[in-house]
Amino acid sequence: MYIAIEGIDTAGKSTQIEALRSLFPDALITKEPGGTTVGTEIRNMVLHGNLKSKTAELLLFLADRAEHTESVILPNMNKLIISDRSAVSGMAYASVQNLCDEPVLVMLNRLATGGTLPDTVFILKLTSEELSYRLSQKEHDVIESRGTEYLLGIQDALIASAYALGIQTVVIDATQSIDTITKEITTFIKGAL
Ligand SMILES: Nc1ncnc2c1ncn2[C@@H]1O[C@H](COP(=O)(O)OP(=O)(O)O)[C@@H](O)[C@H]1O
Ligand SMILES: Cc1cn([C@H]2C[C@H](O)[C@@H](COP(=O)(O)OP(=O)(O)O)O2)c(=O)[nH]c1=O
């Protein structure tokens, strides 16, 4: 079973994945971008480099996704795979750049993944107030520095993108306690295994 934990920056993805790691010790934990050696280099180029082109940014994320799918996801499809982000982020973050329309983004992400998409995505949904608070507590990378309104637009795009990709989606109120969210995800996983 291949699931992805989705959400905008600071939604609580890493926190949930660490909780799930101990609850499902046999699960394969991975992430996008940066789930492979090459992906780590791509991640650094995009997040901390000085890319001028948004198209280059999109294509680099797709390259990370293709490498991640071929070298991490496909060889481990017999396991529970939990990924921090997926093609859903890929579509959502690209869609707000207005580089190309939704069917093209679906096609590009299907090309990058060879059609191997998560069975289920859990989208951690923040309120504007909670997002502002959490962003105020950390340094911002290139994308986070685009601001709260931008990220809230992405949050809506995450839900739309999961639908466009035809992936079963569970939207979770990310302002709940860490344990409550973990229990919600764990209950779903145990019911589906
Ligand atoms: N349910 C929660 N309630 C309150 N704070 C949370 C919750 N989940 C995560 N946090 C805090 O929010 C910040 C961002 O969490 P993180 O897991 O790093 O988010 P992401 O990986 O989605 O960027 C961290 O300081 C974390 O401790
Ligand atoms: C996977 C992916 C992430 N992103 C963005 C989301 C994040 O702002 C950034 C890095 O993701 P990530 O390392 O998950 O950052 P965070 O832990 O703060 O959520 O890259 C894209 O723009 N496109 C993509 O395809």
Side-chain angles (χ1 to χ4, degrees):
M1 181 182 181
Y2 169 21
I3 68 168
I5 309 297
E6 287 282 2
I8 53 179
D9 311 51
T10 74
K13 299 183 297 301
S14 310
T15 301
Q16 289 306 319
I17 284 175
E18 284 319 302
L20 294 168
R21 190 190 296 271
S22 50
L23 290 166
F24 298 97
D26 296 335
L28 174 80
I29 309 293
T30 187
K31 67 178 179 180
E32 290 184 7
T36 61
T37 310
V38 170
T40 304
E41 291 167 34
I42 293 174
R43 187 182 193 282
N44 290 334
M45 269 194 271
V46 175
L47 297 189
H48 306 296
N50 46 15
L51 272 182
K52 297 285 180 293
S53 162
K54 293 283 170 283
T55 304
E57 182 180 286
L58 166 60
L59 294 171
L60 283 168
F61 277 119
L62 286 165
D64 169 78
R65 185 154 303 117
E67 184 70 9
H68 183 236
T69 302
E70 199 151 318
S71 53
V72 176
I73 304 297
L74 288 175
N76 291 287
M77 286 299 276
N78 60 322
K79 296 178 185 159
L80 169 61
I81 300 172
I82 304 175
S83 183
D84 183 342
R85 293 192 188 279
S86 66
V88 173
S89 277
M91 275 199 63
Y93 281 82
S95 66
V96 300
Q97 304 288 351
N98 297 315
L99 296 170
C100 48
D101 61 18
E102 188 178 84
V104 174
L105 288 174
V106 169
M107 183 273 293
L108 287 170
N109 278 281
R110 286 199 171 281
L111 172 68
T113 60
T116 301
L117 294 167
D119 300 300
T120 304
V121 292
F122 297 90
I123 299 181
L124 305 182
K125 189 172 181 185
L126 282 178
T127 58
S128 175
E129 297 73 22
E130 184 66 13
L131 172 60
S132 300
Y133 169 70
R134 293 190 191 179
L135 283 176
S136 72
Q137 303 299 302
K138 66 172 289 192
E139 292 290 307
H140 296 173
D141 63 33
V142 166
I143 290 167
E144 288 160 346
S145 59
R146 293 175 190 162
T148 310
E149 282 317 304
Y150 172 83
L151 288 171
L152 289 170
I154 295 220
Q155 183 166 264
D156 294 338
L158 284 168
I159 297 167
S161 298
Y163 181 80
L165 287 166
I167 300 173
Q168 183 180 42
T169 304
V170 179
V171 180
I172 296 178
D173 174 0
T175 63
Q176 298 176 103
S177 73
I178 293 170
D179 286 350
T180 301
I181 297 169
T182 306
K183 278 196 186 74
E184 208 171 320
I185 297 171
T186 304
T187 303
F188 188 99
I189 292 173
K190 287 183 173 170
L193 281 179

